[in-house]
C-alpha cells in the first residue's frame, strides 16, 4: 500500500482504566488531550519535538512510542516506512495512571491511518488490535480510541480483541487527584498475586456488573459499585498515599478508586445540579468537592485536583495540506 498524505494531526484523550472492579476491562475517556502532528520526510531522519508532559524524559527518535506505533501500523498494512518529524504537545501526565502510553500508541496508529492511501485498512477493530499488541491489554486503548466508557475483552484462544461502548449517566462528573510522584505500570503490576481467593473473584464479578449499571443508570450506586478486592489492596505498599486518599474519601461516601495502575486517584463524582463553574469552559462543582477539601485541609502536598469532562468522541485525526 502506498502513502496518500505526508502530514497529519491526531488528538487523543487521557483515560482511566479499571474504575475499581473492572480490572483490565473497563475504562473511561477523559477530556484532557495530547496533540500530535506528523510529517513524513523524504529522508530516513526521525525527529521528535515534545512540548509539555514528559518533554525531558521521552526519546526523541525511533524509540519514541508514537513512532514505534506508527511504524507498527504501517508494517501491518504493507505501507512503506518513511522518515518522520513529530511535534507532540503533551497534556496527559506521564506515569500517573491516566493512559499516557496508550494515548501515544493510539496516536501513532491513527497517524498511520491518516498517512496511508486507504485509511479504512486501519479501522477501529484493527487499531484496537494493534494497540493491544503494543500495550499488552486494551483497557486504556479502547476508551482512547472510541471515547466514553468502554468494556474490552479478548477471545480465547484466538486472542482477538473487542470493545464496546457503555452508557454513562449525564450526572457523572469525574475528578482526578494527581500526585506529584510517578509510578511505573510494570512496578504496580509486579506486586499483584498470581491467584486470588475464589470469594474475592466472585465479589469482584458482582461489583463489576453493578458498576455497569451504576455508570449508566444508577449513579447513586457508584460507591458500592466501585469496591475492589482484586488489585488495589495488593498495590497499597507501592502507593500508600494514594490508597490512604481512597480510604479517606470512601469513608466520607465518595466513590474513589485508583486510576489505572496509579498513583492518580479517580473520583466518580456527580455534578451539582444548577451550579455553574466560574469558568464556562470547565466542568462545574461536584458532590465530592467538600469531601476533597476536608481531606486535604488546604494543604495539597504536591497533589492537584482536576475536574474533567468525559470525552465522548475518542481519538480524532485529519490530514493536513
Amino acid at each position: 500500500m502506498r502513502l496518500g498524505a505526508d502530514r497529519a494531526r491526531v488528538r487523543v484523550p487521557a483515560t482511566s482504566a479499571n474504575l475499581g472492579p473492572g480490572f483490565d476491562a473497563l475504562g473511561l475517556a477523559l477530556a484532557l488531550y495530547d496533540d500530535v502532528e506528523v510529517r513524513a520526510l523524504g529522508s530516513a531522519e526521525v525527529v521528535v519535538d515534545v512540548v509539555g508532559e514528559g518533554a525531558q524524559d521521552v526519546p526523541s527518535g525511533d524509540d519514541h512510542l508514537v513512532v514505534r506505533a506508527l511504524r507498527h501500523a504501517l508494517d501491518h498494512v504493507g505501507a512503506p516506512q518513511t522518515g518522520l518529524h513529530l511535534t507532540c504537545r503533551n497534556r496527559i501526565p506521564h506515569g500517573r495512571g491516566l493512559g499516557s502510553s496508550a494515548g501515544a500508541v493510539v496516536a501513532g496508529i491513527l497517524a498511520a491511518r491518516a498517512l496511508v492511501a486507504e485509511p479504512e485498512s486501519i479501522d477501529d477493530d484493527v487499531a484496537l488490535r494493534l494497540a493491544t499488541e503494543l500495550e499488552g491489554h486494551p483497557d486504556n486503548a479502547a476508551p482512547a480510541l472510541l471515547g466514553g466508557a468502554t468494556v474490552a475483552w479478548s477471545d480465547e484462544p484466538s486472542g482477538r480483541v473487542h470493545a464496546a461502548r457503555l452508557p454513562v449517566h449525564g450526572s457523572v462528573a469525574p475528578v482526578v487527584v494527581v500526585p506529584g510522584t510517578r509510578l511505573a505500570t510494570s512496578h504496580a503490576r509486579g506486586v499483584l498475586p498470581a491467584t486470588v481467593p475464589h470469594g474475592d473473584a466472585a465479589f469482584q464479578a458482582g461489583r463489576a456488573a453493578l458498576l455497569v449499571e451504576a455508570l449508566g443508570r444508577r449513579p447513586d450506586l457508584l460507591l458500592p459499585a466501585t469496591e475492589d478486592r482484586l488489585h488495589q489492596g495488593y498495590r497499597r505498599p507501592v502507593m500508600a498515599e494514594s490508597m490512604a486518599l481512597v480510604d479517606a474519601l470512601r469513608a466520607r461516601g465518595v466513590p474513589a478508586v485508583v486510576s489505572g495502575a496509579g498513583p492518580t486517584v479517580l473520583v466518580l463524582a456527580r455534578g451539582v445540579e444548577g451550579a455553574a463553574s466560574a469558568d464556562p469552559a470547565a466542568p462545574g462543582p461536584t458532590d465530592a468537592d467538600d469531601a476533597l477539601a476536608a481531606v486535604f485541609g488546604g494543604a495539597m502536598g504536591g497533589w492537584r485536583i482536576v475536574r474533567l469532562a468525559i470525552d465522548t468522541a475518542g481519538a480524532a485525526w485529519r490530514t493536513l495540506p
Side-chain angles (χ1 to χ4, degrees):
M1 180 184 298
R2 65 183 179 85
L3 298 181
D6 60 10
R7 289 185 66 204
R9 182 173 293 155
V10 179
R11 166 167 278 201
V12 63
T15 53
S16 180
N18 303 329
L19 311 183
F23 184 67
D24 279 1
L26 297 182
L28 183 68
L30 303 171
L32 179 67
Y33 302 95
D34 283 355
D35 291 303
V36 178
E37 188 170 318
V38 179
R39 181 163 57 93
L41 303 177
S43 67
E45 183 181 19
V46 174
V47 178
V48 181
D49 296 321
V50 180
V51 178
E53 295 285 344
Q56 307 304 317
D57 307 317
V58 296
S60 58
D62 269 313
D63 287 341
H64 192 279
L65 192 50
V66 174
V67 176
R68 288 166 49 203
L70 195 160
R71 295 207 182 286
H72 186 56
L74 292 180
D75 281 342
H76 177 78
V77 296
Q81 295 292 344
T82 178
L84 296 166
H85 184 185
L86 268 64
T87 301
C88 304
R89 295 175 176 85
N90 294 345
R91 301 175 186 88
I92 304 171
H94 287 205
R96 305 302 206 287
L98 288 170
S100 61
S101 63
V105 167
V106 169
I109 292 168
L110 293 197
R113 177 192 287 178
L115 293 179
V116 298
E118 299 173 21
E120 65 276 9
S121 64
I122 309 177
D123 62 16
D124 285 348
D125 288 340
V126 171
L128 181 63
R129 176 160 63 87
L130 295 176
T132 304
E133 289 172 1
L134 291 171
E135 276 283 284
H137 40 87
D139 51 346
N140 281 111
L145 185 65
L146 303 176
T150 60
V151 58
W153 71 99
S154 61
D155 293 335
E156 297 293 344
S158 70
R160 185 179 177 189
V161 183
H162 309 270
R165 286 280 300 264
L166 298 173
V168 181
H169 194 275
S171 69
V172 176
V175 180
V176 293
V177 192
V178 186
T181 56
R182 299 183 182 186
L183 178 65
T185 299
S186 58
H187 189 32
R189 294 187 77 89
V191 298
L192 299 181
T195 61
V196 297
H198 185 276
D200 287 351
F203 177 94
Q204 196 83 2
R207 288 303 192 272
L210 179 61
L211 179 55
V212 173
E213 171 70 5
L215 275 175
R217 297 195 299 183
R218 292 287 306 277
D220 58 301
L221 295 176
L222 279 169
L223 183 61
T226 49
E227 290 181 297
D228 162 73
R229 291 186 186 175
L230 194 61
H231 63 103
Q232 293 183 158
Y234 295 107
R235 287 170 163 165
R236 188 177 293 273
V238 298
M239 57 177 82
E241 290 185 351
S242 297
M243 286 307 303
L245 177 57
V246 168
D247 293 342
L249 290 171
R250 295 187 69 85
R252 289 168 169 78
V254 174
V257 298
V258 172
S259 179
T264 290
V265 171
L266 170 71
V267 176
L268 291 173
R270 285 186 280 173
V272 177
E273 189 173 354
S277 170
D279 179 358
T286 76
D287 63 353
D289 291 353
D290 288 345
L292 284 163
V295 167
F296 282 103
M300 296 306 296
W303 294 78
R304 292 184 293 129
I305 298 173
V306 186
R307 299 188 196 120
L308 292 171
I310 296 172
D311 171 87
T312 59
W317 61 274
R318 64 186 178 96
T319 58
L320 298 173

